[in-house]
Amino acid sequence: MKKETICIQGGYVPSNGDPRQIPIIQSTTFKYDSAEEMAKLFDLEADGYFYSRCGNPTCDMVAKKIAELEGGTAALLTGSGMAANFLAFFNIAGAGDHVVSSSTIYGGTYNILSTTMKRMGVECTFVDPDCSEEELNAAFKENTKFVFGETIANPALTVLDIEKFAKAAHAHGVPLIVDNTFATPINCNPFKFGADIITHSTTKYMDGHGATLGGCIVDSGNFDWTKYPDKYADLCTPDESYHGVVYTEKFGLGGAYIAKANAQLMRDLGTVQSPVNAYILNLGLESLPVRVARHCENALAVAKALEKNPNVTWVNYASLPGNKYYDLAKKYMPNGTCGVVSFGIKGGKLAAEKFMAALKVASIETHVADARTCCLHPASTTHRQMTDEQLIEAGVPGDLIRYSTGLENAEDLVADLEQALASI
């Protein structure tokens, strides 16, 4: 099926007399007639549910839909996008390991890799996403476990050369993990270009209405963990914390990675998405293709208007002709990129603050990819934990305004921007 159809029909096929909409199974536990039946579930010998921290029907239906949209073999919903990235990382990297990441990524994810996982004994080397193949390959070590990047970086809006990063990752025997939040599976399919695992903050475009937090991890099923049994021993040898199951043997390459993330990490860390949140997320998914097209249309109109405004020093939007990433965006996202535009204002931080206060349609929020237009000054909010040097490395200059176009009329958005810029 095409993506528009998957968004409506995917993940759940009701039987005769079943509810047409995905049902909310709002229950922590599930009843069985015998201990033996439940024991099979705990041993992963049978399909079913016993406790919603370790699996819930509503969440699994929505996860299956997202897996279908991305062309993956298995998926797992999490309580937030940050949880999705952390579980995706920690599932294959631990104390004594090393990872490689693009430097222009979301501030929270940068902090996971630079600080939180460093405290857990994982070292990260950050590379410029525009680096040469030689520079990228030089970042790897014997104990490197994965490579990470964002299809469209938040908020730098750099476009990842997925094939370049996938080639380097596979040459060193590790998977490429890509956060596809901004592009969504509607505009980009990282698996087609060599990515192995995809993560999402479903809080953004997938929900699209600022209604529910969530995240998702999707496995392509393409990376052969068994070729590197020593490097990925947790997937290829018995897990003594779960009855000695060998995930690659039990679930194959298409299911091992997600099965381990669920049976081991979700069990221990409990970063679950609630059934109600999954239900709300599914409502957003049903209109995702229509909304993404409108977001992109509005963003391009805004970018073109900003480019002409004398109070704007620079505009960054990959779908804008002449943009540094225009050709790369056309390669990976021929139908559009996202609804987020970043730009700088004459007068720096003080002018930026005055500009945002003068906006009437757009609101100041720590959010993007919403039906309502919103904006933010990342250097003083989402990325404020970074030093000036780290901000530059992450592609977040002090004058950067992140402007996320909603679904309003484009002419109204442009008029609002122009009157706010005139007030500086």
Side-chain angles (χ1 to χ4, degrees), residues 241-278:
S241 77
Y242 216 104
H243 316 294
V245 65
V246 179
Y247 294 104
T248 50
E249 291 180 1
K250 183 70 179 177
F251 300 98
L253 296 182
Y257 177 85
I258 293 296
K260 177 182 178 295
N262 189 51
Q264 191 184 84
L265 299 186
M266 192 64 80
R267 174 199 64 192
D268 294 350
L269 301 175
T271 57
V272 296
Q273 185 169 147
S274 79
V276 172
N277 283 20

Side-chain angles (χ1 to χ4, degrees), residues 214-261:
C216 188
I217 311 169
V218 186
D219 185 15
S220 68
N222 293 331
F223 191 82
D224 190 350
W225 311 102
T226 62
K227 287 179 64 176
Y228 314 98
D230 295 330
K231 183 179 289 188
Y232 301 106
D234 286 351
L235 283 160
C236 301
T237 58
D239 179 359
E240 299 306 332
S241 77
Y242 216 104
H243 316 294
V245 65
V246 179
Y247 294 104
T248 50
E249 291 180 1
K250 183 70 179 177
F251 300 98
L253 296 182
Y257 177 85
I258 293 296
K260 177 182 178 295

Side-chain angles (χ1 to χ4, degrees), residues 7-30:
C7 281
I8 302 296
Q9 303 284 353
Y12 171 62
V13 180
S15 299
N16 187 49
D18 282 350
R20 186 61 193 87
Q21 178 58 279
I22 285 178
I24 302 173
I25 311 299
Q26 188 62 43
S27 180
T28 59
T29 51
F30 301 82

Side-chain angles (χ1 to χ4, degrees), residues 6 24 26 28-29 82 123 140 183 268 295 306 401 420:
I6 293 172
I24 302 173
Q26 188 62 43
T28 59
T29 51
M82 293 292 284
E123 178 191 3
F140 287 80
D268 294 350
H295 281 296
L306 288 170
I401 297 290

Side-chain angles (χ1 to χ4, degrees), residues 21-152:
Q21 178 58 279
I22 285 178
I24 302 173
I25 311 299
Q26 188 62 43
S27 180
T28 59
T29 51
F30 301 82
K31 176 193 174 293
Y32 288 88
D33 292 333
S34 69
E36 288 78 13
E37 287 180 280
M38 188 169 283
K40 291 178 182 179
L41 298 174
F42 275 90
D43 286 342
L44 304 179
E45 294 292 338
D47 292 330
Y49 302 93
F50 52 88
Y51 194 61
S52 279
R53 173 161 49 83
C54 301
N56 177 279
T58 305
C59 295
D60 285 356
M61 292 172 196
V62 181
K64 184 179 178 183
K65 177 179 285 190
I66 296 174
E68 289 177 20
L69 284 170
E70 289 287 14
T73 55
L76 177 68
L77 294 189
T78 61
S80 69
M82 293 292 284
N85 278 341
F86 177 69
L87 262 62
F89 301 160
F90 196 49
N91 203 32
I92 50 176
D97 290 334
H98 170 261
V99 301
V100 175
S101 173
S102 165
S103 61
T104 57
I105 56 176
Y106 172 60
T109 309
Y110 187 100
N111 201 65
I112 286 178
L113 293 168
S114 67
T115 304
T116 303
M117 292 194 73
K118 183 178 181 181
R119 291 177 60 195
M120 300 169 73
V122 179
E123 178 191 3
C124 181
T125 297
F126 290 97
V127 296
D128 186 328
D130 300 330
C131 67
S132 66
E133 290 188 21
E134 292 74 20
E135 290 170 326
L136 179 55
N137 281 300
F140 287 80
K141 299 182 179 182
E142 286 296 318
N143 59 337
T144 300
K145 284 296 190 70
F146 67 79
V147 181
F148 175 74
E150 297 176 355
T151 46
I152 304 173

Side-chain angles (χ1 to χ4, degrees), residues 332-350:
Y332 293 120
M333 294 160 272
N335 297 320
T337 51
C338 66
V340 182
V341 179
S342 63
F343 59 97
I345 294 177
K346 285 182 180 177
K349 183 180 178 181
L350 291 176

Side-chain angles (χ1 to χ4, degrees), residues 259-327:
K260 177 182 178 295
N262 189 51
Q264 191 184 84
L265 299 186
M266 192 64 80
R267 174 199 64 192
D268 294 350
L269 301 175
T271 57
V272 296
Q273 185 169 147
S274 79
V276 172
N277 283 20
Y279 176 86
I280 296 171
L281 166 59
N282 185 62
L283 294 178
L285 287 170
E286 290 181 349
S287 64
L288 184 63
V290 181
R291 290 186 293 101
V292 165
R294 179 60 175 267
H295 281 296
C296 292
E297 178 186 319
N298 280 357
L300 185 58
V302 162
K304 288 179 177 179
L306 288 170
E307 204 173 31
K308 299 174 184 176
N309 195 292
N311 285 324
V312 175
T313 54
W314 57 269
V315 181
N316 185 18
Y317 185 61
S319 293
L320 195 63
N323 183 272
K324 177 181 180 180
Y325 297 102
Y326 183 79
D327 291 338

